[in-house]
Amino acid sequence: MKIVITGGAGFLGQRLARRLLQAGSLTDSNGTVSPITELVLLDTVAADGFGDPRVRSVVADISDGRRMADIIDGGTASVVHLAAIVSGQAEADFDLGMRINVDALRTILDICRSNGNRPKVLFTSSVAVFGGDLPDMVRDDTALNPRSSYGMQKAVGELLVNEYSRRGFIDGRVLRLPTISVRPGKPNKAASSFASGIIREPLNGEPAACPVPPDTRLWLLSPRKAIDCLLRGHELSAGALESSRTINIPGVSVTAGAMVDALRRVAGPEVADRVSWEPDPFVARIVGSWPAAWDTTQARILGLEGDADFDSIIRAYIEDDR
Amino acid sequence: MKIVITGGAGFLGQRLARRLLQAGSLTDSNGTVSPITELVLLDTVAADGFGDPRVRSVVADISDGRRMADIIDGGTASVVHLAAIVSGQAEADFDLGMRINVDALRTILDICRSNGNRPKVLFTSSVAVFGGDLPDMVRDDTALNPRSSYGMQKAVGELLVNEYSRRGFIDGRVLRLPTISVRPGKPNKAASSFASGIIREPLNGEPAACPVPPDTRLWLLSPRKAIDCLLRGHELSAGALESSRTINIPGVSVTAGAMVDALRRVAGPEVADRVSWEPDPFVARIVGSWPAAWDTTQARILGLEGDADFDSIIRAYIEDDR
C-alpha cells in the first residue's frame, strides 16, 4: 500500500509518518487492511533521518501538476494533504495562497480522479473557515464565513473534497483542526504562531511577545492528539461520513491569558514571566475572527478525541519535544 | 458608466438590460450616480433587438481570459455575472461546470482586481448551495452543504466574491436567488426547469410532465421580482453588507402540487389537467436536496422583496410574457 503525505517534511508530516510506520498497515477505501509498502514524504525540502526502506523523500512543488501526477500514481491508496500556505502568509500574498491552497489541491484531486482507484484523501482544514458574528459554540451546521484569505481557501478546499467524494472520484475526509499548540521548532508565518511561541520560547529560556490581548480565546489541540486524529480520521469507514465528509476535531478552549497561567502552574513563575503582551493588529484581527470553540459531538461519536486541558498540552509538549 | 452583463443574451440578462436602460443611471462603488453610457451584453450568442446606441452585444466564451480582459476594461464600473452552467448540465459534465462556474468567475474577479478600479460585481447564487439535513427554515448562518456539483460551484463562487470584496479588490454582492419561475421560452438543462414548464406549457396548450412528487417543496421567485432584486442589490451601499456580501432573496415556499392547484385557480381545470406526474430520480434527487425556505430578514431590511404567493407569480407571467 502506497501512501503520499504532502508537507511530509513538515512537523506534522514527519510525526504522522513515524506513527504510520509504527502502525505498519492502514485501511484503504475498499475497507481492506494492507501493509504500508511505500510512504512518500513530498515537500519543498527533503525529509531526512527516517532510515526506513519504506520511506521515500521527494522534493517537489505541489503546484507542478506533471510532477504530482508522477508521484500520485494509480497505485497510491491514500493521500494525506497537509501542505499549505499558512494564514499570515496567505494574507500577505494572495496569489501564492490561491496557487497552493486552492489550485494545487484541485490538481491533486483531479489526479486522484483520473487514476480511477478512488483513493482516500485526508485534508486538514482549520478554525479559520469560520468568522464574523459567531455563536459561542460553533455548530456542525454553522455557516463558513471566513475573514481571511487562508480561511476562504480552506473553505473552498472543504467544498471540493466533499464534492469529489460525493461524486465518487475520491474517498475524502476533512479534519477541521483546532490551532496546533505546542509546535516545536521555530515560529512560522501562521497568524497563530504565537500560540506555540508563548509556551515554547519561555521553556527555552527565551522571551516571547504575545500579539493578541490576554482575553483572546483560542481553540487548541496538541500535536500528539492531532496525530491520533489524523490516523483515526484516515481509518474511519466512509459510511460513517455520509452526512458530511467534514469533522470538527475537539479542542481546548482557552484564553491567551489562561495559557500563560497554565505555563506558570506547569513550569513556574520565572518561565511564565518571560511572556510579554505586545498586541499586533494584523495578527489580532485574523486570530480574533476565529471561533473559540465548536461542537464536537460528531467527532466524539467517531472516536476522535482532543486534550483534557491546556496544562496537559504543555506537559505533552515537555514529554514529546523537549 | 460602463456595465457588463455576462449571460446578457439570456432571459434574465436581456430583461435586466431593458430595466437598466429604462433606469438610465446606476450607482458605482464610490456612491456616485452616473448615466449608463455603455451596456455590454456578453454571451455565447448575440443579444439582438435592443436598437439602443448604449447597448453592445459581444459574443465570447467567458472562460477565454484574454477576451474577457478586453471586454472588462478599467472603465467598467459594474459586472453583473449571470452566465453559468445550470444544475442538470453541471451534474452531467463536471469539468464544464468547473470551467465556467468556478474558473471563469475567478478570471473575471482577477481582471476586475487588476483593473484597480474596484468595480461592483453582482453575482447570482442559488438554493443549490444548501443540502443535506436542512432545518425547515434555512438561516443566514446555516452552513452550505451542497449536494450537487452546481451547488458546490456556486458555493465556491460565494466564497470568492466575499473574499475579493473583503480584500478590497471588488465591491461584490451575492444574491442567493430562489428558483426562478415562471421562465418564458423553452425548457433548459436546469434540474428545476420543470418549475417553469409545469405552468408555461399548460398555458400554451401543451402537456407537461412534472419530474418530482407533488409534495416536493420549492422556493420560487418570479422573473419580475428577480429583476427588481438585481437592480436593488446593485444599488445597495457596501456599508449595508458588512457582515456578509451574501443576501438570501425572499421566495414563495410552495409544493409542486400546490403550484398546479394555483394554476387551476388562475387558468382553470382544463389547463391544470395538462400536468402529469412522472418522477425522474435524477431531477428529484437534486431538487429534493434544496431548501424549501430560508430566513429573509436581512433582505427585507435591505428592501429586497419577493412575490406575495404563487398565484401572483402565475399572473405576473401571464401579464409579462404572454
Side-chain angles (χ1 to χ4, degrees), chain A residues 111-172:
Chain A
I111 290 167
C112 289
R113 171 188 172 201
S114 70
N115 285 342
N117 64 330
R118 202 167 156 270
K120 283 189 175 176
V121 176
L122 189 61
F123 172 65
T124 50
S125 186
S126 158
V127 288
V129 297
F130 293 105
D133 292 330
L134 286 170
D136 287 343
M137 175 75 82
V138 165
R139 301 174 311 274
D140 278 344
D141 73 343
T142 298
L144 307 191
N145 188 9
R147 293 305 169 95
S148 63
S149 296
Y150 175 75
M152 176 274 284
Q153 291 151 6
K154 284 290 185 184
V156 169
E158 290 190 5
L159 285 163
L160 291 171
V161 171
N162 271 277
E163 177 63 10
Y164 276 67
S165 297
R166 191 191 65 81
R167 292 200 69 130
F169 300 153
I170 61 168
D171 177 6

Side-chain angles (χ1 to χ4, degrees), chain A residues 91 147 149 163 167 243, chain B residues 91 141 147 149 163 167 243:
Chain A
E91 198 68 14
R147 293 305 169 95
S149 296
E163 177 63 10
R167 292 200 69 130
S243 67
Chain B
E91 198 69 13
D141 73 342
R147 292 306 169 93
S149 296
E163 176 64 8
R167 292 200 69 130
S243 67

Side-chain angles (χ1 to χ4, degrees), chain A residues 90-92 94-95 98-99 102-103 106 110 113 133 139-149 152 155-156 159-160 163-164 166-167 169 242-244 285, chain B residues 90-92 94-95 98-99 102-103 106 110 113 133 139-149 152 155-156 159-160 163-164 166-167 169 242-244 285:
Chain A
E91 198 68 14
F94 182 75
D95 293 311
M98 290 301 288
R99 187 162 65 80
V102 175
D103 297 333
R106 198 162 141 203
D110 280 332
R113 171 188 172 201
D133 292 330
R139 301 174 311 274
D140 278 344
D141 73 343
T142 298
L144 307 191
N145 188 9
R147 293 305 169 95
S148 63
S149 296
M152 176 274 284
V156 169
L159 285 163
L160 291 171
E163 177 63 10
Y164 276 67
R166 191 191 65 81
R167 292 200 69 130
F169 300 153
E242 265 181 24
S243 67
S244 169
R285 188 194 65 70
Chain B
E91 198 69 13
F94 182 75
D95 293 309
M98 290 301 288
R99 186 162 66 80
V102 176
D103 297 332
R106 199 164 139 200
D110 281 331
R113 171 187 171 202
D133 292 331
R139 299 173 313 274
D140 278 344
D141 73 342
T142 298
L144 307 190
N145 188 9
R147 292 306 169 93
S148 62
S149 296
M152 176 274 284
V156 169
L159 286 163
L160 291 171
E163 176 64 8
Y164 276 66
R166 191 190 65 78
R167 292 200 69 130
F169 300 152
E242 266 181 20
S243 67
S244 169
R285 188 194 64 70

